[in-house]
Amino acid sequence: MSARYLKKVLKQQEQQQQQQQEEIDVDEEEENHQSGNQSDLSPDSGTRPSINPFDLLNDDDQDDPDQGDDSEVVNEPLEVNSTKEEPSALENKVNVVSTSNQKSKKKKKKRGKEGSLSSADKVEKPLDAVLETLSLEANSSGHQGGPAKAKAANAKDGGKLVKQCILQVDSKYLNAENELRRIFGSKVVKSFEKSHQAGSSRQIRGGRRGILPHRKTILVTPSDHWPRWDGSVSMEFLETRDGYHYFRYVHSSSYGQAQRKFETDKAIHDLNGIASILLHHPYHLDSLITMAEYFKFVGEHQMSADAIAKSLYALECAWDPMFTPLQGNCQLKFSHETNKPLFSALFTHMRNMDRRGCHRSALEVCKLLLSLDSDDPMGAMFCIDYLSLRAEEYAWLEQFSEGYKSDNSLWLFPNFSYSLAVCRFYLEKEESSKDSHMDNTKATSNDLMKQALMLYPSVLKKLVAKVPLKDRVWTEILKHALFQSDEAGIPSLDHLINLYVERNYIIWRLPDLQKLLRDAAKQVIETQETNRSDAKDWACVRKEVFSSEKNEYAHLLVSDFSDSMPTIPPENLQNFMVDPRMREGIQNEIQDANPPGNGHAPRDVANRNALAVLFESLLPWIHYGDGDGVDEDNQPNGVDQGNEE
């Protein structure tokens, strides 16, 4: 039965009772007036006059469908019942009450809205005060000086806050699979994943069952066949200084033993010994990164990327709750030995995503890498311009070049000098296509390109050879004295130019950019014919910027910025596979880890090459027992171990 029908039935019943009751009430009221006795009107009296509350509800329902204030309407007629009036006057009173109720409900709703706004204002004020207090505490060192000095420090360090905002990482672009879906479509990516998951379906037969799900991470997506995180690495908070929170990684005692064995195997170039470490410590970071390099050299790029992803998964699982690197306000100094694997893994991960064509995801990783250590130990500064151009983040690149350093000196690096000209070229095309007003306060792409050629003319000859640019016009341009040499004579500058050409040469294969470079080079030559002093002035600028006689960037290898995949013949790798002095020790260690009497080693790894065993363990359908460091015979929550066939 519906509520409306029930209300109608009750109304009819109440009307019948009301008619009978009203006749009795009128007689009693007359007697009460004469006697002046009020005792008969007590709440316990059975002759108490009553008004049907459903009548009021029905009256309200005709105009106002909202029934949220029914309780208020029911309670209000009691005031009317306490009056001593005639039935006709009483009916008029009911009508007045019903109309007044409608007005009061509207007023209450209006007051409710105003009250909610005022309450929201009351909530926001203390919230803003709390946020301001937190920011003052974060930006002050040691809580010294009080709020006044903290505000002064905030004003002084405005450039640092701008740097943090520029380097904030957008987590939704960190996933390379999402970018592949945006590029190729979900159907193509799903079909590709299904084709590669067909082979791993055999994991159901020989794999372990009842494995708990992996922890969700933002840097990588863990595979189902990975072992569980063993907690061998953690992170500790060091201090807060100048608005940055400083952290470092900490190793457990078992991890320290594995690390010492790794250092021993590394000293004698024993790759097989390093592989044996991963059989017992699947998340040993240095071993994973070393094996990733080995897989890359032998052409197993997917296995190399998988090893890097494992290391990033372990590193992220160890993050401290206060560690928020995506906000750009946390520092992990490369000088701490335990922090170095994160930088190596992030740099390799960035390069892997770039090779897959996921340039936006690679850009976000590059921003994260640059924000973790302001000293930039991995040279992320010399990749970020290329990735911005490939990801078509032109506006962000200009903003970054203007705000990252307070002195606006990024354009003095050769990669930014040329990339900003390219960036301005594409921004001009976007503005012209939208018919919007162009910003006349900024230099044009042609002016920026001429400036780059005057400041670093040796880049042109290297680009012509690397791209390559085979038109006859380039031969004529390179005959000019300004562009004849491909060396600047400054070690640091020459090294940075080599990095730029190796990293960015591919974008110069576009005809539009070749035309921009060619026209600017011709105009520079024409200017040199009339005014030769400009070249000397720019030479003085180069020497002032790169004044050191040593190569300050020698730690950055050109091969690390190259798209070419290095390979080593297998016969050369055999010298690093097994050292005769370590073969017996490795076999003994494997036998000790899997004694014959333990009864749960699914496959025999004794008397086998540890590297071959590692290769097989990376396959999802191969089961090697305690790969995750947890005894599966004693699994928590009553999980049964899968049977091997």
Side-chain angles (χ1 to χ4, degrees):
M1 182 181 295
S2 64
R4 189 177 298 276
Y5 183 77
L6 177 62
K7 189 186 298 183
K8 184 177 180 180
V9 173
L10 293 174
K11 178 181 178 182
Q12 293 175 355
Q13 295 177 357
E14 291 291 338
Q15 286 178 350
Q16 294 175 359
Q17 295 177 1
Q18 182 179 3
Q19 291 176 358
Q20 298 175 359
Q21 187 70 29
E22 284 177 353
E23 296 176 357
I24 300 173
D25 292 339
V26 170
D27 296 335
E28 290 180 353
E29 286 178 0
E30 291 177 353
E31 294 175 0
N32 291 333
H33 276 294
Q34 294 174 359
S35 62
N37 187 7
Q38 301 295 329
S39 61
D40 295 334
L41 294 178
S42 62
D44 298 330
S45 175
T47 60
R48 177 182 176 180
S50 62
I51 296 177
N52 182 16
F54 292 101
D55 292 338
L56 303 179
L57 290 175
N58 292 334
D59 292 338
D60 291 340
D61 289 341
Q62 294 177 359
D63 296 329
D64 188 4
D66 187 9
Q67 300 179 6
D69 296 330
D70 289 348
S71 60
E72 299 176 2
V73 179
V74 173
N75 294 331
E76 289 178 3
L78 296 178
E79 299 177 359
V80 181
N81 295 339
S82 62
T83 59
K84 307 165 188 167
E85 298 179 356
E86 295 296 327
S88 59
L90 185 62
E91 293 176 357
N92 295 333
K93 184 72 174 180
V94 171
N95 294 332
V96 173
V97 171
S98 64
T99 55
S100 63
N101 286 338
Q102 296 176 4
K103 296 180 180 179
S104 64
K105 288 168 68 177
K106 294 180 181 179
K107 291 180 179 179
K108 289 178 181 178
K109 290 181 179 179
K110 186 174 181 181
R111 291 194 199 102
K113 293 181 180 179
E114 294 175 354
S116 62
L117 293 176
S118 62
S119 63
D121 295 337
K122 293 178 181 179
V123 173
E124 289 178 357
K125 289 181 179 179
L127 180 61
D128 294 338
V130 171
L131 292 176
E132 183 179 0
T133 304
L134 291 176
S135 63
L136 290 176
E137 292 178 357
N139 293 327
S140 61
S141 57
H143 306 280
Q144 296 178 358
K149 290 188 177 180
K151 292 181 179 180
N154 286 339
K156 183 179 180 180
D157 297 338
K160 294 181 180 179
L161 297 178
V162 172
K163 184 190 296 186
Q164 292 180 9
C165 295
I166 292 175
L167 292 179
Q168 284 185 353
V169 179
D170 194 342
S171 59
K172 68 180 179 181
Y173 291 109
L174 281 174
N175 194 326
E177 282 70 22
N178 292 341
E179 184 169 0
L180 290 175
R181 290 186 179 92
R182 289 192 296 268
I183 297 174
F184 301 104
S186 299
K187 293 183 179 179
V188 177
V189 175
K190 287 181 180 179
S191 62
F192 178 79
E193 290 177 350
K194 287 181 180 179
S195 63
H196 281 67
Q197 289 175 355
S200 61
S201 62
R202 286 174 289 175
Q203 182 182 2
I204 301 176
R205 289 190 58 191
R208 291 167 291 178
R209 301 172 187 171
I211 297 298
L212 297 176
H214 290 286
R215 184 185 303 181
K216 292 184 179 180
T217 54
I218 58 176
L219 294 179
V220 294
T221 302
S223 299
D224 294 335
H225 65 274
W226 287 3
R228 290 198 299 272
W229 163 238
D230 54 8
S232 57
V233 180
S234 60
M235 179 180 284
E236 67 174 357
F237 171 74
L238 298 178
E239 61 175 343
T240 297
R241 185 174 69 250
D242 298 333
Y244 291 96
H245 308 297
Y246 289 81
F247 298 84
R248 72 174 177 185
Y249 283 100
V250 180
H251 297 162
S252 64
S253 58
S254 60
Y255 190 96
Q257 295 176 1
Q259 183 67 23
R260 288 189 291 271
K261 185 180 184 307
F262 170 80
E263 297 295 341
T264 302
D265 295 336
K266 179 182 177 182
I268 61 176
H269 304 286
D270 184 10
L271 191 60
N272 200 13
I274 295 175
S276 68
I277 296 176
L278 292 176
L279 297 179
H280 308 286
H281 303 276
Y283 287 110
H284 184 260
L285 303 174
D286 288 327
S287 297
L288 284 171
I289 295 173
T290 302
M291 295 310 302
E293 289 295 314
Y294 168 76
F295 291 142
K296 181 178 69 173
F297 279 115
V298 299
E300 295 290 345
H301 303 300
Q302 184 58 43
M303 297 178 72
S304 175
D306 189 70
I308 292 298
K310 277 185 179 180
S311 62
L312 287 175
Y313 172 71
L315 287 163
E316 185 174 348
C317 287
W319 283 359
D320 187 273
M322 293 178 58
F323 186 66
T324 56
L326 303 188
Q327 302 301 321
N329 60 349
C330 295
Q331 290 279 293
L332 278 172
K333 302 305 289 184
F334 189 77
S335 56
H336 294 291
E337 195 69 25
T338 54
N339 293 342
K340 291 181 179 180
L342 178 63
F343 290 88
S344 301
L346 281 177
F347 187 83
T348 306
H349 185 57
M350 176 189 70
R351 301 290 297 115
N352 290 338
M353 289 193 294
D354 179 39
R355 293 189 181 98
R356 295 177 64 186
C358 302
H359 305 298
R360 181 60 193 275
S361 300
L363 174 61
E364 298 301 320
V365 176
C366 188
K367 289 158 62 175
L368 175 61
L369 189 61
L370 187 60
S371 67
L372 289 177
D373 193 339
S374 56
D375 297 333
D376 191 20
M378 303 303 296
M381 185 74 70
F382 308 111
C383 296
I384 200 166
D385 60 306
Y386 166 79
L387 295 173
S388 300
L389 295 177
R390 295 301 303 269
E392 300 181 358
E393 292 292 318
Y394 309 121
W396 180 87
L397 180 59
E398 277 199 346
Q399 181 185 3
F400 173 78
S401 64
E402 295 171 356
Y404 182 70
K405 288 193 174 183
S406 57
D407 55 358
N408 194 20
S409 60
L410 281 183
W411 67 274
L412 292 174
F413 289 103
N415 59 316
F416 278 95
S417 184
Y418 281 85
S419 293
L420 288 176
V422 176
C423 177
R424 173 47 48 184
F425 173 77
Y426 284 112
L427 287 176
E428 290 173 353
K429 290 183 66 175
E430 291 179 358
E431 292 172 355
S432 61
S433 63
K434 296 178 182 179
D435 295 331
S436 59
H437 180 68
M438 298 183 65
D439 189 359
N440 296 326
T441 61
K442 294 185 177 181
T444 63
S445 58
N446 185 63
D447 293 336
L448 292 176
M449 185 58 66
K450 290 190 295 182
Q451 176 181 285
L453 288 170
M454 292 292 293
L455 186 56
Y456 305 114
S458 59
V459 173
L460 183 60
K461 190 170 184 178
K462 289 182 178 292
L463 282 177
V464 170
K466 183 69 176 179
V467 174
L469 302 175
K470 299 181 179 180
D471 293 345
R472 183 177 299 179
V473 64
W474 295 109
T475 305
E476 298 297 327
I477 291 175
L478 292 180
K479 289 181 179 179
H480 192 271
L482 185 63
F483 302 116
Q484 282 182 351
S485 176
D486 59 354
E487 297 290 339
I490 304 175
S492 296
L493 177 57
D494 286 333
H495 190 71
L496 292 182
I497 290 175
N498 291 334
L499 294 179
Y500 169 74
V501 173
E502 188 66 34
R503 174 66 281 171
N504 293 50
Y505 78 92
I506 195 170
I507 67 174
W508 294 104
R509 291 182 175 177
L510 298 175
D512 291 342
L513 296 182
Q514 291 181 12
K515 183 178 183 299
L516 174 66
L517 183 63
R518 181 175 61 250
D519 294 344
K522 289 181 178 179
Q523 294 177 17
V524 168
I525 292 175
E526 293 176 359
T527 304
Q528 287 297 303
E529 297 298 331
T530 58
N531 187 3
R532 296 182 178 273
S533 61
D534 287 348
K536 296 180 180 179
D537 295 338
W538 287 112
C540 294
V541 174
R542 287 196 298 272
K543 292 181 180 179
E544 184 176 354
V545 174
F546 300 95
S547 58
S548 176
E549 297 181 357
K550 297 180 180 180
N551 185 2
E552 298 176 345
Y553 304 94
H555 62 283
L556 303 177
L557 302 180
V558 177
S559 58
D560 291 338
F561 294 79
S562 176
D563 283 329
S564 60
M565 302 298 294
T567 57
I568 295 179
E571 56 272 12
N572 294 339
L573 283 173
Q574 291 178 358
N575 298 328
F576 302 96
M577 294 289 288
V578 182
D579 188 280
R581 297 170 294 176
M582 299 296 294
R583 181 187 297 273
E584 183 178 356
I586 293 171
Q587 293 178 356
N588 293 335
E589 185 173 344
I590 294 176
Q591 291 175 358
D592 293 339
N594 297 279
N598 64 359
H600 71 274
R603 297 178 66 91
D604 185 16
V605 296
N607 299 322
R608 297 187 61 198
N609 187 290
L611 190 60
V613 174
L614 177 64
F615 265 107
E616 291 182 358
S617 68
L618 294 176
L619 301 176
W621 54 86
I622 301 298
H623 173 29
Y624 279 94
D626 298 339
D628 53 0
V630 179
D631 187 1
E632 296 187 21
D633 292 336
N634 298 316
Q635 292 238 3
N637 301 325
V639 178
D640 294 330
Q641 184 179 352
N643 296 324
E644 290 287 333
E645 293 187 2

